[in-house]
């Protein structure tokens, strides 16, 4: 699944909040700079909070030079957050079942989708003309939902700062990213499905176009979500507002445990015991699945499909048809 939203500079600090466990060393949480624009600024490896803040305000990483000029009226935009979320069953197998290969499969799928965005839909405007540009992208991989359930997801932050072919720095024109959001979500899902099957897991396609790993029942997948209602009920009983810190307190209150501090080991232990209570048995991967290359046939089908609707259509119309098919085929 892919969701997109704009962010102000002051909101960007949420990626580094301690109470969301984004900096704990024993977490799968990680950050990374990618994109040709990031390379031009010398941004590589893990994302430094101070440098990230400067990028959000349109400055060089050291804060000495302003690269982007914001309009005097209106709130500045730091960038857009493209959040790629793995299926619930995959999060269970990876984070509770312990198969780290699924985390790598998710990471690769996210980067594949970001590469499509970078190569096609990162633009800027210069004197009214639209030019393709080089992006500055920060990836933040997280492993918990707001309800403290296992949820593997990555925030791909596209900074409102891009470099033109001539080397100048401008604001990001993000219209095309929003326009092709559904296609980009399908690219991520198909890449992920192909990576998962290459490990040896079987997948089951859902009517809504999403998929889950075979081997889990719907009731088991929803089992973790039941904790969310218990936590909210406990918050109401305690008369506390719905905040992250209070959710943590309510989590332990409903667990009836003596532990006072939530760490990685304690949280995963809780997940494991919740899975055992729900009688969840994690699927075991078999032989890797290599799907045949059906792209030529799918292209022909897509062209016929599009021609029945209009005489002229963009390339993305063909790609949307192809990636929507339950084949794992991507563009």
């Amino acid at each position: 699944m892919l969701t997109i939203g704009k962010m102000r500079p002051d909101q960007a600090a949420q990626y580094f909040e301690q109470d969301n466990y984004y900096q704990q060393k024993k977490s799968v949480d990680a950050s990374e700079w990618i994109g040709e624009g990031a390379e031009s600024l010398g941004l590589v490896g893990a994302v430094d909070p101070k440098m990230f803040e400067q990028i959000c305000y349109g400055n060089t990483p050291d804060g000495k030079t302003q690269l982007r000029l914001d309009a005097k009226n209106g709130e500045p935009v730091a960038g857009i957050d493209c959040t790629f979320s793995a299926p619930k069953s995959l999060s269970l197998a990876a984070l509770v079942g312990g198969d780290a290969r699924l985390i790598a499969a998710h990471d690769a799928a996210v980067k594949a989708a970001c590469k499509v965005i970078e190569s096609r839909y990162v633009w800027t405007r210069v004197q009214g003309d639209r030019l393709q540009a080089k992006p500055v992208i920060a990836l933040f991989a997280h492993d918990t939902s707001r309800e403290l359930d296992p949820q593997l997801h990555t925030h791909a932050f596209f900074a409102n700062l891009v470099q033109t072919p001539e080397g100048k720095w401008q604001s990001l024109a993000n219209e095309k990213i929003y326009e092709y959001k559904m296609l980009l979500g399908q690219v991520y899902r198909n890449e992920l499905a192909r990576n998962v099957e290459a490990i040896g897991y079987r997948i089951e396609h859902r009517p809504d176009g999403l998929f889950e790993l075979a081997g889990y029942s719907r009731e088991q997948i929803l089992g973790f979500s039941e904790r969310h209602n218990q936590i909210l009920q406990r918050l109401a009983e305690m008369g506390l507002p719905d905040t992250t810190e209070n959710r943590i307190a309510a989590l332990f209150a409903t667990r009836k445990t003596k532990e006072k501090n939530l760490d990685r080991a304690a949280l995963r232990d809780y997940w494991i015991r919740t899975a055992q209570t729900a009688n969840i048995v994690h699927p075991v991967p078999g032989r890797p699945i290599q799907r045949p290359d059906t792209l030529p046939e799918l292209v022909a089908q897509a062209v016929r499909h599009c021609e029945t609707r209009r005489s002229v259509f963009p390339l993305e119309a063909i790609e949307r048809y192809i990636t929507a098919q339950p084949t794992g085929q991507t563009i």
Side-chain angles (χ1 to χ4, degrees):
M1 180 181 294
L2 169 61
T3 58
I4 303 177
K6 289 184 179 180
M7 294 195 69
R8 300 189 311 269
D10 61 303
Q11 293 176 312
Q14 72 174 341
Y15 295 121
F16 298 101
E17 289 177 357
Q18 184 65 32
D19 60 0
N20 283 327
Y21 325 112
Y22 296 169
Q23 294 179 314
Q24 295 193 25
K25 295 180 180 179
K26 294 183 180 180
S27 162
V28 302
D29 300 338
S31 63
E32 181 182 0
W33 292 107
I34 63 172
E36 292 187 8
E39 293 176 10
S40 296
L41 292 172
L43 296 171
V44 295
V47 180
D48 177 82
K50 293 181 179 179
M51 292 184 178
F52 181 72
E53 181 180 14
Q54 294 299 333
I55 293 298
C56 288
Y57 281 99
N59 302 326
T60 53
D62 59 11
K64 294 181 179 179
T65 305
Q66 187 175 19
L67 299 176
R68 184 190 75 229
L69 297 177
D70 292 322
K72 294 183 179 180
N73 54 343
E75 290 183 330
V77 176
I80 60 171
D81 179 2
C82 299
T83 304
F84 296 90
S85 300
K88 185 74 172 182
S89 57
L90 191 148
S91 293
L92 289 176
L95 303 174
V96 185
D99 193 340
R101 295 175 300 172
L102 292 171
I103 299 174
H106 163 78
D107 291 342
V110 169
K111 289 183 178 180
C114 287
K115 195 65 178 178
V116 174
I117 298 175
E118 178 175 14
S119 63
R120 295 186 179 192
Y121 306 128
V122 174
W123 298 83
T124 189
R125 297 187 184 281
V126 179
Q127 296 180 347
D129 295 328
R130 196 178 65 177
L131 299 176
Q132 194 160 4
K134 301 175 182 178
V136 178
I137 310 168
L139 299 181
F140 299 90
H142 299 159
D143 61 0
T144 61
S145 69
R146 190 164 178 263
E147 292 75 35
L148 305 180
D149 288 340
Q151 182 188 353
L152 183 62
H153 63 287
T154 297
H155 298 271
F157 177 83
F158 284 74
N160 187 26
L161 184 66
V162 297
Q163 188 180 35
T164 68
E166 292 76 24
K168 296 181 179 181
W169 292 93
Q170 301 276 153
S171 298
L172 168 68
N174 55 41
E175 301 95 324
K176 291 296 180 181
I177 300 177
Y178 277 96
E179 181 179 352
Y180 295 114
K181 169 188 170 182
M182 297 300 295
L183 171 63
L184 295 167
Q186 289 170 334
V187 170
Y188 161 73
R189 290 195 297 273
N190 285 7
E191 288 284 345
L192 181 60
R194 186 168 61 179
N195 296 344
V196 164
E197 289 186 324
I199 297 173
Y201 286 93
R202 273 54 180 170
I203 64 175
E204 295 176 344
H205 292 277
R206 289 167 35 179
D208 58 6
L210 305 179
F211 75 87
E212 299 286 356
L213 297 187
Y216 293 107
S217 69
R218 190 63 181 164
E219 291 73 20
Q220 290 173 332
I221 293 174
L222 294 175
F224 276 85
S225 299
E226 293 177 0
R227 293 292 298 166
H228 173 49
N229 294 329
Q230 295 177 20
I231 291 172
L232 292 181
Q233 181 179 352
R234 183 59 177 170
L235 284 177
E237 294 172 354
M238 299 168 69
L240 296 174
D242 183 9
T243 66
T244 300
E245 289 185 358
N246 288 341
R247 283 170 181 262
I248 294 173
L251 169 64
F252 280 95
T254 57
R255 286 179 60 190
K256 299 180 181 180
T257 178
K258 294 181 181 180
E259 295 170 298
K260 295 183 180 179
N261 297 314
L262 182 65
D263 59 24
R264 274 298 179 222
L267 183 58
R268 185 164 186 269
D269 178 66
Y270 160 68
W271 288 344
I272 291 174
R273 287 191 280 112
T274 300
Q276 292 172 343
T277 301
N279 296 318
I280 293 176
V281 177
H282 302 289
V284 177
R287 291 183 178 182
I289 299 174
Q290 299 294 336
R291 290 184 179 273
D293 182 11
T294 59
L295 187 56
E297 178 183 349
L298 286 173
V299 169
Q301 292 178 9
V303 170
R304 291 194 296 270
H305 172 80
C306 293
E307 284 178 337
T308 61
R309 285 157 175 77
R310 60 180 66 179
S311 58
V312 179
F313 45 86
L315 173 63
E316 283 83 2
I318 296 176
E319 292 173 335
R320 279 198 295 264
Y321 178 91
I322 293 172
T323 56
Q325 305 308 309
T327 61
Q329 186 70 57
T330 190
I331 58 176

